[in-house]
């Protein structure tokens, strides 16, 4: 009797095995990366414990400890133990000393023991490349924020670098109180109220538009649609795109909202109007009409009130404050087409800190 011909069932089998291989291969790669993170943290722990154990060791080895250690480990065939990498491991441990030691039941003279691997793994949830990038952030609060956000939002290394370069922590901090900034560092960005989605400013360098507004609002809108994935990342958590040039009719007049989003965390519509020139009170009044229309004719009873954002190249805070009622769900936020410098963000943070102190 001859063999049955292999048909579509065989193809399905091949696909199933291929998918299984790819899934487990990816899992194996993640396991290797996790092991590398744990190893490097523990390398740092051992280095610091050794150096701190006695002044005698510092006298004997001094600055040559890392070089000697690198040579000894390399002779055993261990990879990734160059002097530069070992110093990086030490910095990694010193910057992420988050693992609480369990009090020893033995004598206080007993040598310190490294943390439990399971406890260590639970608190170091990113890949090694992520932590190398995080080590470039000197501000402890900012570094903690980026670590939390990278884990919660599953940022890749490229996304993490971009958010750090754009000063996401500093931009969020500028629209928050001192206590809220501390919360940012501990738990990341939490959307509890409409104001939590606002950044100051929004950085749109990925649009590749000229820095000076020689483009039209239509061109700005098209550039955003073309780079919608990047724009959603810049908007932040929970945003879903719904429409552009959303039309509604009132009194036989047609009106068009530039961009309409929905935030699933706040459970509300977010309407965005783009302005390339000086913001005027007419612009604010028009946005108020957009928000009112969505609240009365689009949102359902169980959804939160609509949020309106005027994304403008230049704005006058005094005009915004005078025009809009208190507790308004409308916000005017600036955008810029280049990554902010560290000095620029530092100056803005210092101004915010002075405002916090004055308010106390």
């Amino acid at each position: 009797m001859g063999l049955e011909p292999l048909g579509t069932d065989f193809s399905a089998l091949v696909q199933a095995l291929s998918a299984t291989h790819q899934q487990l291969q990816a899992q194996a790669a993640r396991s290797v990366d996790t092991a590398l993170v744990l190893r490097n943290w523990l390398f740092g722990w051992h280095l610091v414990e050794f150096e701190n154990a006695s002044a005698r060791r510092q006298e004997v080895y001094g600055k040559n400890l890392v070089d000697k250690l690198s040579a000894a480990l390399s002779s055993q065939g261990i990879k990734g133990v160059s002097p530069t990498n070992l110093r990086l491991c030490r910095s990694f441990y010193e910057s992420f000393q988050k693992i609480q030691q369990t009090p020893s039941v033995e004598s206080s003279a007993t040598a310190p023991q490294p943390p439990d691997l399971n406890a260590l793994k639970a608190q170091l949830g990113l890949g090694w490349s992520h932590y190398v990038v995080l080590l470039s952030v000197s501000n402890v609060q900012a570094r903690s924020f980026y670590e939390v956000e990278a884990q919660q939002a599953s940022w890749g290394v490229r996304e993490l670098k971009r958010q750090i370069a754009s000063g996401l922590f500093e931009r969020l901090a500028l629209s928050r109180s001192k206590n809220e900034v501390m919360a940012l560092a501990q738990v990341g960005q939490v959307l509890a109220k409409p104001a939590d989605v606002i950044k100051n400013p929004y950085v749109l360098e990925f649009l590749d538009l000229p820095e000076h507004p020689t483009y039209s609002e239509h061109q700005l809108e098209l550039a955003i649609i073309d780079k919608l994935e990047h724009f959603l990342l810049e908007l932040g958590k929970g945003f879903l795109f719904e429409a552009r040039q959303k039309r509604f009719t009132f009194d036989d007049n047609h009106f068009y909202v530039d961009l309409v989003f929905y935030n699933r965390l706040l459970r509300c519509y977010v309407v965005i109007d783009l302005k390339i020139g000086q913001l005027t009170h007419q612009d604010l009044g028009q946005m108020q009409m957009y928000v009112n229309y969505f609240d009365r004719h689009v949102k359902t009873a169980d959804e939160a009130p609509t949020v309106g954002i005027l994304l403008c190249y230049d704005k006058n805070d005094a005009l915004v404050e005078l025009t809009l009622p208190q507790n308004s769900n409308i916000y005017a936020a600036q955008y810029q087409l280049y990554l902010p410098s560290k000095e620029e963000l530092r100056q803005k943070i210092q101004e915010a800190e002075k405002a916090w102190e004055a308010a106390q």
Side-chain angles (χ1 to χ4, degrees):
M1 176 186 284
L3 293 173
E4 292 293 326
L6 295 173
T8 55
D9 287 345
F10 178 75
S11 298
L13 177 62
V14 171
Q15 291 179 355
L17 267 61
S18 176
T20 300
H21 169 76
Q22 292 174 10
Q23 179 182 359
L24 292 177
Q25 190 176 48
Q27 184 175 327
R30 288 194 296 271
S31 298
V32 170
D33 200 25
T34 299
L36 183 61
V37 170
L38 299 181
R39 186 204 77 163
N40 290 347
W41 191 94
L42 288 168
F43 272 14
W45 182 89
H46 282 292
L47 265 170
V48 172
E49 286 295 329
F50 184 87
E51 291 173 327
N52 292 343
S54 69
R56 174 63 179 161
R57 286 179 178 174
Q58 295 181 12
E59 291 176 7
V60 172
Y61 295 99
K63 295 181 179 180
N64 294 324
L65 171 62
V66 170
D67 294 330
K68 291 179 178 179
L69 187 60
S70 173
L73 293 173
S74 297
S75 68
Q76 297 181 18
I78 300 175
K79 303 294 185 182
V81 290
S82 68
T84 299
N85 282 347
L86 288 177
R87 292 187 181 95
L88 192 62
C89 291
R90 180 167 54 195
S91 296
F92 179 40
Y93 166 72
E94 290 172 339
S95 298
F96 293 89
Q97 295 184 50
K98 57 173 70 176
I99 312 303
Q100 297 298 317
Q101 298 284 343
T102 303
S104 174
V105 295
E106 301 176 13
S107 166
S108 59
T110 303
Q113 297 298 310
D116 176 73
L117 279 179
N118 289 328
L120 191 59
K121 183 178 178 180
Q123 297 192 53
L124 294 172
L126 295 173
W128 176 238
S129 296
H130 287 82
Y131 284 111
V132 172
V133 173
L134 288 170
L135 287 174
S136 68
V137 182
S138 58
N139 182 293
V140 175
Q141 286 187 326
R143 185 169 60 238
S144 175
F145 165 78
Y146 289 121
E147 182 190 12
V148 172
E149 285 294 307
Q151 292 187 60
Q152 292 180 355
S154 299
W155 287 345
V157 173
R158 183 178 177 182
E159 291 171 331
L160 175 61
K161 286 181 177 179
R162 191 265 166 187
Q163 297 289 29
I164 292 173
S166 72
L168 176 61
F169 174 77
E170 289 82 1
R171 290 185 289 128
L172 288 172
L174 288 172
S175 59
R176 282 161 171 76
S177 68
K178 190 173 183 178
N179 289 337
E180 288 174 328
V181 171
M182 294 176 64
L184 267 182
Q186 294 168 0
V187 298
Q189 184 184 14
V190 177
L191 301 187
K193 58 185 184 299
D196 291 336
V197 304
I198 305 301
K199 296 174 183 174
N200 185 24
Y202 287 86
V203 176
L204 309 180
E205 92 291 347
F206 50 83
L207 299 182
D208 296 325
L209 288 171
E211 183 176 330
H212 299 289
T214 56
Y215 46 86
S216 67
E217 290 172 0
H218 178 65
Q219 288 173 316
L220 176 60
E221 179 187 325
L222 288 178
I224 288 175
I225 295 300
D226 188 50
K227 299 287 182 67
L228 187 57
E229 182 179 350
H230 296 79
F231 188 66
L232 285 169
L233 178 64
E234 175 63 11
L235 285 179
K237 294 181 177 178
F239 277 92
L240 304 171
F241 175 69
E242 177 164 305
R244 62 176 288 248
Q245 291 299 308
K246 178 79 171 179
R247 189 183 83 169
F248 67 90
T249 304
F250 178 74
D251 253 359
D252 293 328
N253 291 315
H254 299 309
F255 300 92
Y256 298 85
V257 183
D258 288 340
L259 299 168
V260 179
F261 295 86
Y262 191 84
N263 191 287
R264 61 181 180 81
L265 300 179
L266 292 175
R267 299 194 72 250
C268 71
Y269 286 97
V270 179
V271 295
I272 296 179
D273 218 20
L274 306 172
K275 299 297 174 185
I276 63 170
Q278 181 78 29
L279 185 67
T280 67
H281 68 275
Q282 290 93 338
D283 296 329
L284 295 165
Q286 179 175 267
M287 176 55 76
Q288 184 69 67
M289 179 182 66
Y290 292 168
V291 167
N292 290 344
Y293 177 83
F294 270 77
D295 280 344
R296 296 171 189 176
H297 302 289
V298 180
K299 88 173 189 71
T300 60
D302 62 334
E303 290 176 323
T306 303
V307 175
I309 300 177
L310 282 148
L311 202 55
C312 49
Y313 189 81
D314 192 15
K315 70 183 179 80
N316 184 319
D317 290 330
L319 174 67
V320 174
E321 185 176 347
L322 183 64
T323 305
L324 295 177
Q326 289 185 344
N327 301 321
S328 169
N329 250 15
I330 296 174
Y331 302 88
Q334 284 184 279
Y335 69 87
Q336 62 186 49
L337 300 171
Y338 59 92
L339 292 173
S341 68
K342 291 183 178 179
E343 182 58 32
E344 182 182 352
L345 289 171
R346 189 180 298 113
Q347 289 178 357
K348 289 184 177 181
I349 287 293
Q350 289 174 350
E351 292 172 2
E353 288 175 344
K354 290 179 181 178
W356 295 335
E357 293 173 0
Q360 291 179 349

